[in-house]
């Protein structure tokens, strides 16, 4: 089957009936569709794509993984809605001469100014703007509730606890990775893990000319937060095993190629052993973790 909407649910249903299910990436299957799109052409394309040895099937997600990803998607949706409400509120007030700073400080300032009688905003508009403030408060409460649920899940997950020992990785990143990755044994090495994450430069090459362009932007959903983790670490902690950090002393990048290379290796080489435990162990998972180095 194509790994499209509800494919993981039906895959679990078919596996429960004893069938062997293979989920294929839709954008790879599309290349095998000839001429017009029909059910017959789609079925033929799926068979051709299933025979291709270089197409890696998508690992099926469990119910717990999809539930965890659902919490993250709801959180992202509510956070975007809250930001939109704040920007709308600031913009309308700015048109009437009421200026407020960004983020939560601006909301507190607008709340104080809208409570004044001589603020210079018509009464009918001020009443509606106060309703917008109520929406912002409600959205922030929802965000806190979701984060409390994520914290409770992370408390009982050894994988999340190991990931949070990495500098720059907290509650959001650890739970997002646990929900998106699942069984990291699906990746043969840390390089494959980084490639799946999307931290790889696009290539535009021909013959003997090889050219790497900007970093790929197809970073998977809630895993995109991991791409920004190296830039959220305090300066004194911006070092990784095996080399210096990508920032120079003055905060400038050495080169775009160096940044891309090190950003590609950093998340994989820190998260890969964290999933499998300490590299110095003697069990099988520890030996898999040593591959990252």
């Amino acid at each position: 089957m194509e790994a499209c909407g509800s494919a993981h649910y039906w895959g679990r249903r078919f596996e429960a009936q004893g069938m062997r299910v293979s989920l294929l990436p839709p954008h790879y299957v599309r290349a095998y569709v000839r001429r017009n799109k029909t059910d017959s052409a789609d079925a033929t394309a799926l068979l051709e794509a299933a025979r291709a040895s270089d197409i890696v099937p998508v690992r099926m997600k469990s119910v717990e993984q999809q539930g965890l990803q659902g919490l993250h998607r709801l959180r992202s949706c509510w956070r975007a809605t809250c930001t939109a409400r704040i920007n709308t509120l600031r913009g309308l007030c700015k048109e009437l001469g009421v200026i407020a700073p960004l983020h939560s400080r601006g909301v507190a300032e607008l709340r104080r100014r809208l409570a004044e009688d001589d603020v210079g905003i018509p009464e009918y508009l001020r009443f509606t703007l106060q309703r917008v403030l109520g929406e912002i408060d409600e959205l922030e409460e929802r965000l806190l509730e979701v984060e409390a649920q994520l914290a409770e899940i992370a408390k009982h997950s050894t994988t999340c606890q190991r990931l949070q020992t990495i500098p720059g990785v907290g509650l959001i990143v650890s739970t997002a990775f646990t929900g998106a990755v699942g069984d990291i044994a699906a990746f043969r090495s840390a390089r494959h893990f980084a490639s799946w994450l999307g931290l790889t430069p696009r290539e535009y090459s021909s013959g003997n000319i090889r050219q790497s362009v900007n970093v790929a932007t197809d970073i998977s959903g809630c895993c995109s937060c991991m791409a920004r983790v190296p830039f959220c670490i305090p300066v004194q902690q911006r070092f990784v095993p095996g080399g210096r950090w990508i920032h120079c002393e003055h905060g400038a990048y050495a080169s775009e190629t160096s940044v891309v290379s090190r950003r590609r290796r950093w998340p994989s080489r820190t998260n890969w052993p964290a999933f499998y435990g300490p590299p110095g162990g003697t069990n099988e998972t520890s030996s898999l973790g040593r591959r990252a180095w």
Side-chain angles (χ1 to χ4, degrees):
M1 297 191 303
E2 288 184 348
C4 54
S6 72
H8 295 276
Y9 166 77
W10 289 111
R12 291 192 298 267
R13 288 283 299 270
F14 293 146
E15 276 193 343
Q17 297 178 10
M19 302 180 187
R20 187 174 63 87
V21 179
S22 178
L23 301 181
L24 301 178
H27 53 284
Y28 289 158
V29 178
R30 183 67 182 85
Y32 290 90
V33 178
R34 301 176 184 176
R35 297 178 63 84
N36 299 324
K37 184 186 184 306
T38 62
D39 292 342
S40 176
D42 288 345
T44 304
L46 276 170
L47 291 175
E48 293 293 334
R51 296 190 186 104
S53 59
D54 57 337
I55 297 181
V56 181
V58 177
R59 183 61 66 95
M60 197 176 305
K61 289 183 172 62
S62 63
V63 178
E64 290 74 16
Q65 281 182 258
Q66 289 189 290
L68 192 54
Q69 285 189 304
L71 283 179
H72 274 278
R73 290 193 175 99
L74 286 172
R75 179 182 177 274
S76 299
C77 178
W78 286 336
R79 186 176 59 179
T81 304
C82 185
T83 302
R85 295 291 184 274
I86 293 174
N87 291 338
T88 302
L89 185 65
R90 290 183 65 251
L92 291 174
C93 292
K94 183 178 179 181
E95 292 294 330
L96 296 172
V98 180
I99 310 300
L102 297 173
H103 309 303
S104 58
R105 292 195 303 115
V107 176
E109 177 67 17
L110 290 176
R111 194 188 307 276
R112 184 184 64 81
R113 295 292 302 276
L114 289 175
E116 299 175 355
D117 295 332
D118 56 346
V119 67
I121 298 178
E123 182 65 28
Y124 51 86
L125 179 59
R126 186 169 61 173
F127 172 77
T128 307
L129 293 179
Q130 289 174 345
R131 295 285 297 272
V132 176
L133 285 172
E135 290 184 13
I136 294 173
D137 294 338
E138 183 180 355
L139 288 170
E140 289 180 347
E141 290 179 3
R142 294 180 187 177
L143 291 174
L144 292 176
E145 291 176 359
V146 171
E147 291 176 2
Q149 288 179 293
L150 293 175
E152 186 66 23
I153 294 172
K155 187 188 302 182
H156 299 89
S157 173
T158 56
T159 302
C160 290
Q161 294 173 7
R162 286 201 300 265
L163 285 172
Q164 291 182 22
T165 60
I166 303 171
V169 176
L171 172 66
I172 303 302
V173 175
S174 62
T175 52
F177 256 52
T178 303
V181 176
D183 185 10
I184 204 171
F187 303 98
R188 287 181 288 176
S189 66
R191 286 184 177 273
H192 290 84
F193 178 43
S195 178
W196 170 84
L197 192 62
L199 296 177
T200 52
R202 292 190 181 274
E203 193 167 332
Y204 190 80
S205 305
S206 177
N208 295 328
I209 301 175
R210 300 184 63 85
Q211 181 180 1
S212 295
V213 292
N214 295 334
V215 178
T217 57
D218 53 348
I219 300 177
S220 54
C222 59
C223 291
S224 61
C225 57
M226 192 61 197
R228 299 187 295 271
V229 166
F231 302 102
C232 301
I233 305 175
V235 177
Q236 61 271 20
Q237 299 180 10
R238 290 177 180 173
F239 294 92
V240 295
R244 294 191 304 119
W245 183 239
I246 58 178
H247 281 279
C248 301
E249 292 182 358
H250 301 287
Y253 299 120
S255 66
E256 183 179 356
T257 305
S258 175
V259 171
V260 170
S261 177
R262 295 180 187 272
R263 280 189 73 179
R264 182 176 71 247
R265 293 196 299 263
W266 189 88
S268 60
R269 292 194 172 186
T270 51
N271 284 276
W272 185 271
F275 269 102
Y276 283 120
T282 57
N283 55 11
E284 180 183 357
T285 56
S286 297
S287 63
L288 287 171
R290 286 194 294 271
R291 289 186 194 173
W293 306 96

